[in-house]
Amino acid sequence: MSKFSFSNKIMSQSRYVLLLLCVVKVVGSVENLSRPNIIFILADDAGWNDFSFHGSAQIPTPNIDALAFSGAVLNNYYASPLCTPSRGAIVTGKHPIHIGLQHYVIRGDTATGLPLSEKILPEYMRELGYSTHLVGKWHLGHAERVYSPTYRGFDSHFGYWLGYQDYYDHTCADAGYWGYDFRKNMDVVYQPFGRYNTDTFTQESVQIIQEQPTEKPLFLMVSHTAPHTGSDYNPLQAPQENIDKFQDSIEDENRRVYAAMVDKLDESVGKIVAALAEKEMLNNTVIIFASDNGGAPEGYNLNYGSNWPLRGVKNTLWEGGTRVAACIWSPNILNRVSSDMMHVSDWLPTLYEAAGGNVTNLGQIDGVSLWNTLTKGEPSPRHELLYNIDDVYNNSAVRFESWKLVQGNISTLDFAPVPWDGWYGHYTHNTTVTDLLPQILRSRVALSLQSIGFSLEAEAVKQLQQAADIRVRCNETLPEITCDPYTRPCLFNVLEDPCEKRNLANEESILVEQMLALLKSYNDTAREMIDLSHHPEAAPVNWDFVWTNWKDYL
Ligand SMILES: *[C@@H]1O[C@H](CO)[C@@H](O)[C@H](O)[C@H]1NC(C)=O
Ligand SMILES: *[C@@H]1O[C@H](CO)[C@@H](O)[C@H](O)[C@H]1NC(C)=O
Ligand SMILES: *[C@@H]1O[C@H](CO)[C@@H](O)[C@H](O)[C@H]1NC(C)=O
Ligand SMILES: *[C@@H]1O[C@H](CO)[C@@H](O)[C@H](O)[C@H]1NC(C)=O
Ligand SMILES: *[C@@H]1O[C@H](CO)[C@@H](O)[C@H](O)[C@H]1NC(C)=O
Ligand SMILES: *[C@@H]1O[C@H](CO)[C@@H](O)[C@H](O)[C@H]1NC(C)=O
Ligand SMILES: *[C@@H]1O[C@H](CO)[C@@H](O)[C@H](O)[C@H]1NC(C)=O
Ligand SMILES: *[C@@H]1O[C@H](CO)[C@@H](O)[C@H](O)[C@H]1NC(C)=O
């Protein structure tokens, strides 16, 4: 049974016994029935510092914290700096440079999408007998119906095709055009008009869980709008009652609304986990909560996230754009802060293995399965990662163990008139995460987990809170050495210097050469980026003010 022994020291004896019983049941059968349900909850543009499981109590997220501390905080998890590439990597297990998504995002007037040659996550899950549903955002192409979710392995899709939208009217202004963007499968639906996206998506997700046939496992992707900005005319949107909760604690008005958007997300996670418990599915479910890329702070992209103390923002190759908030829960993954390096492309093999699939079926991918690392504490198979190579922006960054090389035009000026190379979103507040313990312990998630035998204990949570925080503090005594990636590559030891303040390129010139060689070896395998040229035919004004699969109608 060493297969199921954990390195985890905090886990109580009784839980261990319970866990073994549970695991034995799971592997006791090879029927599809025993495959775990997989619920992947994806936040849009949430920052590192926007959840209280990372050491900041400014925005209490008791449900997400309960999930994270009952399962594993993924403290060393990296995504792409933008939505489309991250989402492409999640569903293909490949790095965006290998699927043509290395630059920018798919726009409303893009004539193509994630290459149709790629077989993607819901298709693999379907083969293993799963029901597959997408709720919320897609953002991997819609110019022709074949690019849309229900043609790519999802049994159903309820949500939108583009990158963001107004939380209430569900329109999106993109590429200079404006139109409505909400569908049930291929049908444009107007019922959600006037209803807040996070609520709409939560309700749909809960319904999918309630209606899931008991003889089939469920793969559900809940891909939220939140906390991305809504429309240009109303970028920060949340119900007033949630905003009011932060009336006394958050002075900055924009940050206050942002906090309410995150609060709604937290509420949503609570409701989804409770629905799984009620349906008696929770004890055989893997739940992931992750952001797609770093946050957009201090008005960048009109938003008010925070990646503090990490450097940079969304759409940059600094840690703040790429090292993102994430956690995972399953009955097999308990009470850990994981420092294992993980890349967004690792989800496909990890979840495929969790589902009982043989990862060799996945062919030539970049991701590696971390399932045994997460469940059994085996060493992480990942030692390096490519942040990105973008030859349009002219920037790139690569990682080997704790070393990171970053170079080129890191801060692109799409959203702002100044480079975003600094540290943003440092808010002071008068509470600590320890003050949140009572809220965490009586959250919907904590109670749901308790109902299936996984009780959270205050002392254990406290220790994990500290562990999650301490490992990403800037070392204030470390002497700074400035860096100008625009002219020369910079080198950081992000283990000792997670805040990227001490450029060691001069001290470690041999390492710089080695890292450049590593980067080149990645670059040699890159494929051409997809065609992001503009197509005015796509404009909703031509299609009843709806963003549509316009190429099918030409
Ligand atoms: C989960 O709980 C339900 C209801 O108590 C039970 O029937 C089922 O066998 C359990 N499944 C696992 C994997 O423990
Ligand atoms: C498992 O799922 C596969 C693929 O959908 C299906 O062919 C097979 O019949 C299922 N097995 C059971 C026992 O339901
Ligand atoms: C924090 O500050 C708010 C507003 O000033 C106040 O209402 C609250 O009591 C303070 N909390 C603590 C724990 O000091
Ligand atoms: C996975 O598939 C490969 C190739 O078909 C096979 O060699 C290997 O034994 C399989 N692994 C498991 C655990 O079934
Ligand atoms: C790209 O960035 C590098 C620095 O990393 C610089 O040397 C080079 O001139 C830049 N190329 C262009 C076309 O701007
Ligand atoms: C970086 O890219 C922006 C456009 O996104 C451009 O305006 C700026 O001049 C570039 N900076 C350098 C140093 O090349
Ligand atoms: C911070 O940096 C100083 C100077 O290099 C070093 O002596 C110290 O061990 C570091 N502290 C931590 C916690 O890493
Ligand atoms: C990657 O290779 C292309 C040629 O295929 C070259 O133009 C580009 O400068 C290279 N980028 C890096 C970061 O080496």
Side-chain angles (χ1 to χ4, degrees), residues 409 411-413 486:
N409 195 343
S411 290
T412 49
L413 305 182
Y486 301 87

Side-chain angles (χ1 to χ4, degrees), residues 69-368:
F69 294 131
S70 300
V73 177
L74 301 175
N75 235 20
N76 207 357
Y77 168 65
Y78 287 83
S80 288
L82 283 171
C83 305
T84 294
S86 272
R87 286 154 203 268
I90 290 171
V91 298
T92 60
K94 295 186 184 177
H95 196 283
I97 67 162
H98 292 143
I99 46 178
L101 300 180
Q102 57 269 60
H103 175 65
Y104 208 53
V105 297
I106 291 170
R107 301 293 295 264
D109 65 352
T110 300
T112 180
L114 174 66
L116 296 171
S117 51
E118 299 300 330
K119 179 170 170 180
I120 71 171
L121 180 55
E123 296 177 274
Y124 284 112
M125 288 298 160
R126 197 180 251 178
E127 271 179 9
L128 294 177
Y130 279 73
S131 309
T132 58
H133 300 280
L134 173 66
V135 175
K137 165 166 157 175
W138 172 237
H139 211 188
L140 287 171
H142 63 273
E144 296 172 59
R145 61 173 70 82
V146 285
Y147 287 106
S148 71
T150 53
Y151 282 78
R152 303 210 71 169
F154 284 107
D155 300 347
S156 82
H157 174 223
F158 179 75
Y160 55 103
W161 286 348
L162 273 64
Y164 63 101
Q165 61 174 223
D166 187 281
Y167 284 69
Y168 292 100
D169 72 24
H170 316 301
T171 65
C172 175
D174 195 29
Y177 311 110
W178 177 84
Y180 187 77
D181 184 18
F182 209 108
R183 292 187 186 244
K184 172 86 192 186
N185 304 329
M186 293 305 290
D187 298 333
V188 179
V189 289
Y190 292 96
Q191 293 94 319
F193 184 85
R195 292 192 48 228
Y196 191 66
N197 265 359
T198 309
D199 289 330
T200 309
F201 296 150
T202 305
Q203 192 181 41
E204 175 76 8
S205 303
V206 166
Q207 194 178 335
I208 286 170
I209 291 164
Q210 285 168 348
E211 290 172 3
Q212 177 63 19
T214 45
E215 70 280 5
K216 280 191 104 180
L218 169 65
F219 170 62
L220 168 63
M221 256 192 115
V222 189
S223 177
H224 281 285
T225 312
H228 198 291
T229 39
S231 50
D232 291 354
Y233 42 87
N234 196 2
L236 298 162
Q237 300 178 296
Q240 192 60 41
E241 56 176 320
N242 296 78
I243 301 172
D244 290 344
K245 280 187 177 178
F246 299 94
Q247 190 59 43
D248 295 329
S249 61
I250 302 183
E251 208 176 318
D252 181 313
E253 201 180 324
N254 292 313
R255 179 70 174 166
R256 196 187 307 148
V257 184
Y258 184 89
M261 291 153 81
V262 175
D263 188 44
K264 288 298 287 182
L265 259 186
D266 187 67
E267 199 181 292
S268 170
V269 171
K271 288 183 178 171
I272 287 172
V273 174
L276 289 164
E278 271 159 38
K279 179 83 177 177
E280 298 189 344
M281 286 164 71
L282 186 58
N283 60 357
N284 190 25
T285 296
V286 181
I287 306 170
I288 294 109
F289 179 86
S291 186
D292 61 343
N293 47 247
E298 295 187 12
Y300 183 90
N301 215 186
L302 304 177
N303 214 345
Y304 287 83
S306 169
N307 304 311
W308 185 268
L310 301 179
R311 185 172 189 172
V313 303
K314 165 190 177 180
N315 199 16
T316 71
L317 294 176
W318 299 116
E319 295 291 280
T322 53
R323 185 175 181 178
V324 304
C327 64
I328 183 169
W329 183 87
S330 115
N332 307 358
I333 301 175
L334 296 174
N335 303 123
R336 327 198 7 207
V337 174
S338 164
S339 298
D340 299 297
M341 192 193 292
M342 182 166 188
H343 183 251
V344 61
S345 63
D346 296 335
W347 285 121
L348 174 74
T350 300
L351 297 178
Y352 193 69
E353 185 159 20
N358 182 339
V359 292
T360 62
N361 297 340
L362 302 174
Q364 194 64 39
I365 57 171
D366 298 301
V368 287

Side-chain angles (χ1 to χ4, degrees), residues 394 407-408 485-487:
N394 188 27
Q407 65 170 352
Y486 301 87
T487 53

Side-chain angles (χ1 to χ4, degrees), residues 500-529:
E500 297 172 289
K501 291 190 164 172
R502 185 172 165 81
N503 171 22
L504 295 172
N506 282 336
E507 283 74 359
E508 303 283 352
S509 53
I510 295 170
L511 204 49
V512 169
E513 291 311 316
Q514 289 169 336
M515 299 287 282
L516 285 171
L518 178 62
L519 190 64
K520 184 179 180 314
S521 71
Y522 276 111
N523 194 39
D524 290 344
T525 67
R527 59 162 281 179
E528 207 183 333
M529 61 180 262

